[in-house]
Structures are given as C-alpha cells and as structure tokens.
Amino acid sequence: MIDSGTRLYGLVGNPVAGTRSPWIHNTVFEQLAINGAYLAFAVEEKGLADAVRGLKALGVRGFNVTIPFKTEILPLLDRVDPLAARLGAVNTVVSENGALCGFNTDGPGLAAVLGRHLGSLKGLRVLVLGAGGAARGICGALLEAGVAELALLNRSQARAEALVQEMGVLAGEGQVLRALDPEAGLQPYGLVINTTSVGMEPLTDAVPVALTGLASGAAVCDIVYKPHRTRLLQEARAAGHPVIHGIEMLIEQALLAQKLWHGITDGQLAALRHGLIAEFERFDK
Ligand code: ATR
C-alpha cells in the first residue's frame, strides 16, 4: 500500500508507453516487501534537465533512463561509474545521500544473460543486426565481454560503417570490428543478435535477416520482447538453433538496477528472475 513512507522510483524516457519496466520493478517491490512505487515518466526532449532536477529535489532514491536520454543524462549527474562512462550510456541512477550517480546495467545484464546461455563470450564471433542506439549499447557490452569479432549488418550500410568507426575506441587488442557486406554469409557467426525493431508488434511477420547458412549450434537472440516469440526466434527454433528472448535482457538490467538500489543477494535475484520470466511467458505468448 502506498503511504507516507513509500519511496518513489521511475523510468525517464520517451516514449515509455507499453514499457514493461513498471511491471518488473513493482513486482520486485512486492516480493521483497520494499515500500516503493515505480512509475514511467514520458519526458519531453528538452525537459530532461528539469526532470532530473525535479527527481533530485523530491528525494527519489533511484530511477532508470531509456531512449532517447541514455547519453544526454551523463553531464546532468553528480558522478558517473567508470563502465557507464566508457560505454557513454547510463540506464540506472542511484541517489547516494542526495548525489545522483549514474550506472549502466544494460551491458552487464546482456553479458550475464548471454553468459548463462552460451558460457564464456570470449572468442565468440557475433553478428549484430542494426546500427542504432540499441546496437551501440550492445556492441559496447560485447566488446567489454571480450568477444573475438563483432560484425554489423544494417539496412543502411553507411550507418553500420559509422558505428564501426565510433566503436573502434572500445575494441581491445585482437578484437575484430567490421561492417558486414550484405552479400556475405552468416556461417562464421556463433551468435546473431537483432537490435532493430523489425518483428515488433504490430508488424510481427517481419524478420531482420534470413537465417539461411547460419551454422548449426549458433544461437539467435532478439531484443524485441513484444511479441515474446518473435518471427526471427520462431524461425531460429524451427531450424534447431538455441534462442534467447528479449524479455530476459529487460529483466536482467532491471534486477541489476534493483541490486544497486537495494543490495539484494544473488539468491534473491535468481528467484526473482525465475518468477518474472515464468509470469511473462504465461501472459505474453
Ligand atoms: P534504437 O535506438 O532503438 O536502436 P534507431 O536508432 O532508430 O533506434 O535504430 C533502429 C535500427 O533498426 C536501425 O539499425 C534501423 O536501420 P537503418 O539504420 O537502416 O534505419 C533498423 N530498422 C528499423 N526499421 C527497419 C526495417 N523495417 N528494416 C530494416 N531495418 C530496420
């Protein structure tokens, strides 16, 4: 029940309609008996600085940041964690005695989900579909996780080439980063990740790429979580590939944000993760 002791948490982005973040965080509050409430705030493009000042003045304990503000928020914070600074993106803010500190749980969340499904990411050759904001974050996280190769395939090849240039600073020694020729085959890749919106409701029949030629055993991951089983993942499963659903990444970054806010244990995280995924699968087939 909301009362005078309830602490406010929230999501700042635009658009935020349809986001599942309030469902995840309010479920966590309920299950851990934390007196918190999590709301989604659609903030105008020019209103971010006012929104952040307002949240600070209201004594909010923590909030998430999403598209289009993940980079724009950095100079508005009192402190930015080194990983978030390296990735150039903050998705979680923690108020530490009134000072706003920015973190990135998208990258570690993605690495944790992929690691659980695939084991170590070191040495993996990965094909990333898309070259927008989501691709940028995912490429950064994969380079941090030590993949051997990142190949970017995008509708606009010029944009893929620009992102490859931009990501170059994050590539360590021996890591290959390239824009893939649209005619090139998928055979070398052990993991394909869709970061585009292709396949998202309402255009659920679309796929971002044909999986023809993908080696058997290669995994396919989709950041789209509406629908849960995208056409791409259905085709991958039908061809015998391991699949990784978008909702897992959304849940993982949220649970890592909760860990920053409330210091919850790994055992609690595992139980919450299991319950949230099961509930999502039940109501969102
Ligand atoms: P986000 O920040 O969510 O990644 P974005 O920056 O607009 O959003 O990027 C969207 C990505 O999805 C881009 O890679 C875009 O391809 P283009 O760079 O060629 O525009 C890709 N995308 C969106 N709709 C697409 C479609 N119908 N077919 C292929 N790619 C699409």
Side-chain angles (χ1 to χ4, degrees):
M1 228 238 324
I2 290 180
D3 61 21
S4 62
T6 305
R7 304 303 301 262
L8 178 63
Y9 296 78
L11 173 67
V12 172
N14 205 340
V16 295
T19 172
R20 291 275 150 80
S21 289
W23 166 68
I24 297 172
H25 289 286
N26 289 312
T27 302
V28 171
F29 291 149
E30 198 181 303
Q31 298 207 350
L32 298 184
I34 291 169
N35 191 0
Y38 186 104
L39 299 180
F41 300 106
V43 172
E44 292 293 321
E45 284 269 355
K46 288 198 200 99
L48 182 66
D50 285 345
V52 170
R53 265 196 300 275
L55 289 167
K56 190 172 179 174
L58 292 171
V60 164
R61 288 284 290 279
F63 59 94
N64 290 124
V65 184
T66 190
I67 291 165
F69 299 130
K70 287 184 186 185
T71 300
E72 203 181 321
I73 193 156
L74 266 79
L76 303 174
L77 300 171
D78 298 304
R79 190 168 73 73
V80 177
D81 165 76
L83 172 68
R86 251 192 336 275
L87 295 175
V90 161
N91 77 313
T92 301
V93 176
V94 182
S95 172
E96 291 173 3
N97 302 317
L100 296 184
C101 307
F103 295 86
N104 185 299
T105 70
D106 285 328
L110 174 81
V113 170
L114 295 179
R116 265 201 304 280
H117 282 271
L118 307 174
S120 171
L121 302 184
K122 292 213 182 343
L124 197 64
R125 300 179 72 180
V126 185
L127 174 61
V128 171
L129 307 174
R136 190 175 182 281
I138 283 171
C139 288
L142 290 168
L143 290 170
E144 286 276 331
V147 298
E149 178 181 334
L150 263 192
L152 270 64
L153 183 61
N154 192 45
R155 178 174 59 181
S156 141
Q157 209 188 347
R159 208 170 168 204
E161 279 158 12
L163 187 58
V164 162
Q165 290 296 320
E166 201 187 316
M167 289 275 111
V169 290
L170 287 178
E173 220 180 290
Q175 284 183 312
V176 175
L177 193 53
R178 71 170 98 225
L180 195 70
D181 182 330
E183 303 302 315
L186 307 191
Q187 202 279 333
Y189 300 101
L191 170 66
V192 176
I193 303 185
N194 175 42
T195 74
T196 76
S197 51
V198 177
M200 195 186 287
E201 287 172 2
L203 302 174
T204 55
D205 274 347
V207 285
V209 76
L211 296 173
T212 328
L214 188 64
S216 69
V220 179
C221 173
D222 202 334
I223 66 159
V224 173
Y225 63 87
K226 279 184 287 184
H228 181 50
R229 295 175 183 87
T230 59
R231 177 77 182 261
L232 179 72
L233 294 185
Q234 288 177 32
E235 289 186 2
R237 191 181 284 265
H241 298 286
V243 300
I244 303 167
H245 295 92
I247 193 65
E248 285 195 58
M249 266 90 69
L250 186 74
I251 288 174
E252 200 67 24
Q253 61 76 30
L255 292 179
L256 293 179
Q258 286 285 346
K259 194 172 175 180
L260 286 170
W261 293 333
H262 301 117
I264 52 188
T265 66
D266 287 345
Q268 285 173 313
L269 280 189
L272 288 163
R273 179 189 301 124
H274 186 77
L276 286 163
I277 292 174
E279 192 178 336
F280 188 85
E281 285 182 341
R282 248 197 323 275
F283 72 72
D284 198 316
K285 293 194 184 49

